[in-house]
Amino acid sequence: MVCQKVLVDEVSGWLRVFADGSVDRTWTGPTQVQFMTEPVAPHDEFIDGVATRDVCVNENLRLRIYLPETNPDDSLKLPVILHLHGGGFCISQADWYMYYQMYTKLVRSAKAICISVYLRLAPEHRLPAPIIDGFYALLWLRSVAQGESYEQWLVSHADFNRVFLIGDSSGGNLVHEVAARAGKVDLSPLRLAGGIPIHPGFVRSVRSRSELEQPESPMLTLDMVDKFLSLALPLGSTKDHPITCPMGSRAPSLDTLKLPPFLLCIAEMDMIVDTEMEYYDAMKRAKKDVELLISPGMSHSFYLNKIAVDMDPQTAEQTEALISGIKNFVSNH
């Protein structure tokens, strides 16, 4: 007798949760976009100017490193960008093609090393699990800078005085949280030089005007917001939790946090643009060093949608503008 699993929750195309606690993340959406969710194998050789390798720090921490090709005679050290991927805390991996195609472009343009963290996923690992993963990755970088740990590419090429956090969507929430934790510890000789939340998943219990009025996009729907957060937030929590609403009354006051300079990247047509701007305004009121980069006419995580980047000139142009803005921020800090 075959025992059929009982489906208890589903996020269309992305994820299915069963009564026995198991989770199926097999892509079931349109087959023409499946390639963006496929893993890209690491390659130590340089392909289009970038080499990649996976590093297993311990059983709980795994990283993907992107290294841009440089002139062998150039002794200049490279800034380090620690990447925290998106996916509503529930889906995606550091080796997905959608991240590979974006972050190879970024490291080539910015002449920077990128380290992407394989984050634990909800509902198996609810928040704050991925925050802990991101923070431990930063502490591991500190240990490499101190000489207590060793990674050849980083020891040879990394400028530990210029380390940045970057995150897409829910990864933008992690940028804020990891930076706040970092402000409470001594990272020397490493210096956290900046944070770059891109289209962070900042929301609140009461829907914003943009959630009600902006069109949904392939990368973000109301169903995704609601269901992913119900699976990811600590049990009993609402969207007013400090992780999803760091500008809200339940979060630590922003003026008490020691944060590095931030570049907040938002998309004009993002469904959650209003709450992202609430965060920006709150950071300004708290006298934090925060710059704003707006992508006009674009929706949530547009730059990760390889089909749109290839087929729509405006999306391609705004992706290049986003990369250029990030490059400039890194160069200036």
Side-chain angles (χ1 to χ4, degrees):
M1 179 179 175
V2 177
C3 183
Q4 189 171 8
K5 287 187 174 185
V6 178
L7 183 69
V8 295
D9 213 341
E10 180 177 16
V11 182
S12 180
W14 295 104
L15 173 146
R16 288 147 299 285
V17 182
F18 298 94
D20 63 0
S22 62
V23 180
D24 180 10
R25 294 184 176 85
T26 305
W27 173 252
T28 60
T31 56
Q32 63 266 31
V33 302
Q34 184 173 353
F35 75 96
M36 291 192 289
T37 70
E38 297 288 347
V40 178
H43 47 87
D44 265 9
E45 73 279 10
F46 288 99
I47 298 176
D48 295 329
V50 180
T52 65
R53 69 168 47 156
D54 284 348
V55 174
C56 186
V57 177
N58 55 47
E59 62 181 12
N60 294 319
L61 183 60
R62 192 159 63 102
L63 311 166
R64 167 151 295 192
I65 305 179
Y66 296 81
L67 179 70
E69 193 167 14
T70 56
N71 188 325
D73 298 328
D74 191 351
S75 60
L76 188 68
K77 297 287 188 176
L78 306 177
V80 178
I81 301 173
L82 184 63
H83 173 238
L84 307 168
H85 67 72
F89 311 111
C90 293
I91 59 168
S92 86
Q93 291 289 348
D95 60 2
W96 274 18
Y97 180 75
M98 69 167 64
Y99 299 118
Y100 178 86
Q101 61 91 21
M102 171 61 183
Y103 285 92
T104 50
K105 291 178 188 173
L106 179 60
V107 300
R108 277 196 304 267
S109 176
K111 289 297 182 204
I113 297 168
C114 179
I115 303 173
S116 188
V117 185
Y118 287 86
L119 300 168
R120 286 176 292 171
L121 302 175
E124 302 96 323
H125 304 283
R126 286 180 176 263
L127 290 161
I131 299 170
I132 295 169
D133 296 341
F135 185 58
Y136 280 0
L138 187 62
L139 294 182
W140 175 76
L141 272 177
R142 180 185 66 179
S143 75
V144 176
Q146 292 172 334
E148 296 177 1
S149 299
Y150 181 80
E151 204 295 313
Q152 177 195 347
W153 282 0
L154 299 181
V155 170
S156 300
H157 301 286
D159 180 357
F160 294 103
N161 193 50
R162 297 176 64 211
V163 175
F164 298 81
L165 301 172
I166 194 169
D168 325 274
S169 192
S170 58
N173 301 56
L174 302 181
V175 167
H176 176 89
E177 293 294 328
V178 172
R181 291 190 179 209
K184 299 176 182 179
V185 299
D186 180 8
L187 291 175
S188 60
L190 180 149
R191 180 178 72 97
L192 186 59
I196 309 167
I198 310 177
H199 311 171
F202 296 145
V203 293
R204 45 180 163 79
S205 291
V206 177
R207 290 213 195 276
S208 65
R209 181 173 178 177
S210 60
E211 282 181 279
L212 296 172
E213 296 182 358
Q214 293 279 39
E216 296 183 332
S217 74
M219 295 294 192
L220 191 68
T221 66
L222 289 176
D223 183 61
M224 290 169 67
V225 171
D226 294 345
K227 288 188 176 178
F228 280 153
L229 294 185
S230 72
L231 294 170
L233 284 167
L235 290 171
S237 300
T238 71
K239 293 177 191 172
D240 294 322
H241 190 282
I243 296 173
T244 42
C245 192
M247 62 288 190
S249 60
R250 299 182 187 179
S253 178
L254 291 174
D255 58 15
T256 67
L257 302 181
K258 182 182 176 183
L259 298 172
F262 267 38
L263 173 66
L264 175 61
C265 305
I266 66 172
E268 181 186 22
M269 303 302 291
D270 196 332
M271 201 173 61
I272 53 174
V273 66
D274 284 357
T275 34
E276 291 169 340
M277 284 303 300
E278 288 175 14
Y279 173 79
Y280 174 75
D281 291 340
M283 289 278 279
K284 280 294 190 182
R285 287 195 299 272
K287 295 181 170 51
K288 298 303 178 185
D289 184 350
V290 55
E291 301 174 37
L292 189 64
L293 191 161
I294 302 174
S295 299
M298 294 293 102
S299 59
H300 192 81
S301 295
F302 67 91
Y303 58 95
L304 297 178
N305 185 342
K306 185 65 164 58
I307 296 175
V309 171
D310 285 347
M311 299 186 68
D312 177 49
Q314 185 183 9
T315 302
E317 178 184 343
Q318 288 304 317
T319 298
E320 290 304 315
L322 175 64
I323 291 172
S324 178
I326 296 170
K327 173 187 175 181
N328 290 340
F329 179 79
V330 171
S331 298
N332 292 335
H333 293 84

